[in-house]
Amino acid sequence: MPFQPRRLLPAATLLLVAVPILAAPPQLRDVTPRGVTIGERVTLRLVGAHLQGEPRLISQLPISDAKVESSTANEFRISFATPADANAGIYALRLATSEGISEPILIGADQLPQQMITANGEVALPVALTGALTGSTIREIPFGGNKGQRVVVDIEAQRLAGKLNPVLRLIDERGTQIAWSGGESHILGDARLETVLPADGKYRVRVHDKLYRGA
């Protein structure tokens, strides 16, 4: 019998497979304000991604009477109280959901009243201010002072894992610089100035990035 070659036909296989979508653990990008007043109730706004799924706050700072104010995939608001005997310092917060736990984000805790920085809004001392500074932006915070008054200005940026290389300047109402501070190694690259005011009047704290490239 003569050999009959077989024709090879191209073959294709189509596979349809149901692949489960794996949920991601929560990711935190920011929290405001970046500080809490010890002994008082505070509401924090945490922003990120994948924040849904029975979220709960995990805090190094002791807290009590926590109440979730609102919760979405990208924003989580929670209010809580802190004990009056809590220690001042910098604390880590994490958000836990049914899909995992976030990387930590840092906040400060002290006895100072907390405010958000507003455009050129004068503040009353003492105060702790939360704000953002990017690129070549220069922030100025005005306040009134008295002759002989001791003033300490401290910025927490590097200590909160920020990218800002801060410079602080204290300017009087004539525009004269009377004190300044750059990054100091003993406070992890943050800036702190201390001075005694020479006269009654209006003063401004000026803040900017060392290379005017604030991140």
Side-chain angles (χ1 to χ4, degrees):
M1 178 181 293
F3 174 72
Q4 298 291 331
R6 298 178 60 188
R7 292 182 7 178
L8 300 179
L9 300 177
T13 302
L14 178 63
L15 299 178
L16 299 178
V17 180
V19 178
I21 299 175
L22 299 179
Q27 300 172 5
L28 292 179
R29 291 194 300 268
D30 196 14
V31 56
T32 52
R34 272 296 179 114
V36 302
T37 304
I38 292 172
E40 294 187 8
R41 190 168 188 86
V42 65
T43 299
L44 295 184
R45 174 178 177 260
L46 294 90
V47 177
H50 313 298
L51 307 185
Q52 73 277 24
E54 302 176 3
R56 60 187 178 90
L57 189 68
I58 299 176
S59 171
Q60 286 184 335
L61 176 69
I63 64 175
S64 61
D65 192 22
K67 178 183 177 183
V68 176
E69 303 292 344
S70 63
S71 178
T72 68
N74 301 313
E75 181 182 290
F76 178 72
R77 290 178 182 266
I78 186 170
S79 63
F80 56 82
T82 58
D85 59 354
N87 294 322
I90 293 174
Y91 293 88
L93 299 178
R94 295 175 185 263
L95 194 69
T97 71
S98 56
E99 303 302 331
I101 187 169
S102 72
E103 292 293 321
I105 195 165
L106 303 178
I107 63 167
D110 51 45
Q111 303 289 345
L112 302 175
Q114 303 286 329
Q115 292 183 25
M116 298 298 295
I117 293 177
T118 58
N120 300 319
E122 184 170 323
V123 300
L125 305 186
V127 67
L129 300 168
T130 291
L133 194 154
T134 59
S136 59
T137 303
I138 299 174
R139 285 279 192 184
E140 289 195 348
I141 299 97
F143 68 94
N146 299 316
K147 181 178 180 178
Q149 181 180 0
R150 176 175 171 265
V151 174
V152 178
V153 184
D154 180 272
I155 184 166
E156 294 174 346
Q158 301 278 338
R159 284 170 287 175
L160 295 179
K163 304 297 185 182
L164 182 72
N165 293 311
V167 174
L168 288 174
R169 304 182 189 275
L170 184 60
I171 312 296
D172 68 12
E173 57 190 16
R174 298 174 299 175
T176 302
Q177 177 178 292
I178 60 174
W180 83 281
S181 173
E184 301 182 12
S185 59
H186 69 282
I187 48 176
L188 303 181
D190 280 334
R192 178 185 295 155
L193 67 81
E194 180 177 351
T195 192
V196 175
L197 301 182
D200 295 350
K202 300 294 184 181
Y203 293 87
R204 291 169 288 152
V205 176
R206 183 175 294 168
V207 188
H208 62 85
D209 181 75
K210 180 179 180 180
L211 299 177
Y212 296 95
R213 284 188 247 168

